[in-house]
Amino acid sequence: MSRRSGILEFAVLGLLRESPMHGYELRKRLNTSLGIFRAFSYGTLYPCLKTLVASGWLIEEPGSAPEDALAASLAGRRAKIVYRLTAEGKEHFEELLSSAGPDAWEDEHFAARFAFFGQTEREVRMRVLEGRRSRLEERLEKMSASLSRTRERLDDYTLELQRHGMESVEREVRWLNELIESERSGRDQRRSDPAGAAQHEDTPENHTPGETDGLPRSRDAASAGGTPPRHPGPDPSADTAK
């Protein structure tokens, strides 16, 4: 499985965990909620859905029938297929959520993982955030070293592009620092208040989808609909400095 297809399967499972959907609804949610999938097509989505069905993680169900079945038949239309997460699919998605390896820190996969932080355990969120920050700090070091070696050979515009790339990565590192500090503050507060911790424990009964109590308050509204808050992602020019 390629890294790109793995990210798409993860996102599809996560969206279907919220509710069953047909292909058009899924594509719309992937486009609007997860910006990393804006350029993908039905030719990418449907093979992914078929793979997940074959794996036993999804099942296909007929959608609601048109009111006038004869008219729909004459018009060449048919009920849309609805995709529903199976018990095995839910278990598989939860396994993916609990993983926090290096793949979760990469540019595209991190954006997908962050979109489902409301369903992710706090300790896993912390590992992903800290891993992402570490990866970007390494990138900054390489970019700075490269810029120092090539500064004299670059024209003004190329030099400005390199600086812009570094500033974009620096902004994301600051954003990650804020998130990590908020996560730690929330964890420390619950440790100092055992009674409150019992009431707000991260369990399915007490955890509403999309709830991210570790986020800074100013970001809560952006996260309420399942969409991750905007943040300055790494600039494409960053790769030119490696």
Side-chain angles (χ1 to χ4, degrees):
M1 180 191 303
S2 68
R3 177 176 295 177
R4 179 72 175 180
S5 62
I7 298 170
L8 179 57
E9 290 183 6
F10 172 83
V12 167
L13 292 172
L15 290 176
L16 290 177
R17 188 188 187 191
E18 299 174 4
S19 66
M21 302 182 204
H22 55 69
Y24 175 78
E25 290 174 314
L26 266 173
R27 185 172 185 268
K28 184 177 180 180
R29 288 291 305 279
L30 288 165
N31 283 338
T32 56
S33 299
L34 304 176
I36 61 174
F37 297 109
R38 288 194 183 102
F40 90 111
S41 65
Y42 286 112
T44 303
L45 175 60
Y46 282 106
C48 172
L49 290 171
K50 295 299 182 184
T51 298
L52 294 174
V53 170
S55 300
W57 297 329
L58 300 182
I59 57 174
E60 297 177 332
E61 299 177 339
S64 57
E67 294 182 2
D68 189 340
L70 177 59
S73 177
L74 292 174
R77 293 182 298 175
R78 58 183 179 180
K80 296 177 180 178
I81 295 175
V82 172
Y83 296 91
R84 181 185 298 274
L85 197 66
T86 64
E88 292 79 7
K90 181 179 180 180
E91 182 179 351
H92 178 63
F93 179 68
E94 290 173 351
E95 290 176 358
L96 294 176
L97 277 181
S98 66
S99 66
D103 281 349
W105 311 337
E106 300 299 337
D107 294 348
E108 290 185 339
H109 208 158
F110 173 74
R113 287 299 302 266
F114 191 88
F116 295 101
F117 261 23
Q119 304 177 39
T120 306
E121 293 182 0
R122 179 180 297 273
E123 294 304 319
V124 177
R125 293 199 303 260
M126 283 290 292
R127 290 199 298 271
V128 173
L129 291 172
E130 291 174 341
R132 175 66 175 172
R133 180 177 63 180
S134 176
R135 180 61 49 85
L136 292 183
E137 287 173 343
E138 292 174 3
R139 186 179 299 177
L140 273 176
E141 290 181 7
K142 292 179 181 179
M143 294 173 71
S144 179
S146 176
L147 187 59
S148 297
R149 291 194 305 268
T150 61
R151 182 186 300 272
E152 300 301 326
R153 301 195 299 271
L154 299 178
D155 61 61
D156 291 343
Y157 295 102
T158 304
L159 182 60
E160 192 61 31
L161 184 63
Q162 297 292 317
R163 288 173 176 167
H164 174 68
M166 290 186 64
E167 289 173 358
S168 297
V169 179
E170 288 170 348
R171 283 195 298 271
E172 186 173 356
V173 170
R174 290 195 295 270
W175 174 72
L176 289 168
N177 286 335
E178 292 177 9
L179 292 175
I180 291 170
E181 181 59 31
S182 294
E183 293 282 355
R184 286 176 177 165
S185 298
R187 179 182 60 190
D188 294 342
Q189 182 177 3
R190 283 212 299 273
R191 284 179 175 174
S192 62
D193 182 12
Q199 295 178 4
H200 299 286
E201 183 181 359
D202 282 342
T203 64
E205 292 78 9
N206 296 327
H207 200 83
T208 303
E211 178 187 359
T212 50
D213 49 28
L215 286 174
R217 183 174 297 276
S218 61
R219 302 181 190 274
D220 288 348
S223 301
T227 305
R230 290 182 175 271
H231 64 89
D235 192 91
S237 61
D239 291 337
T240 64
K242 293 181 181 178

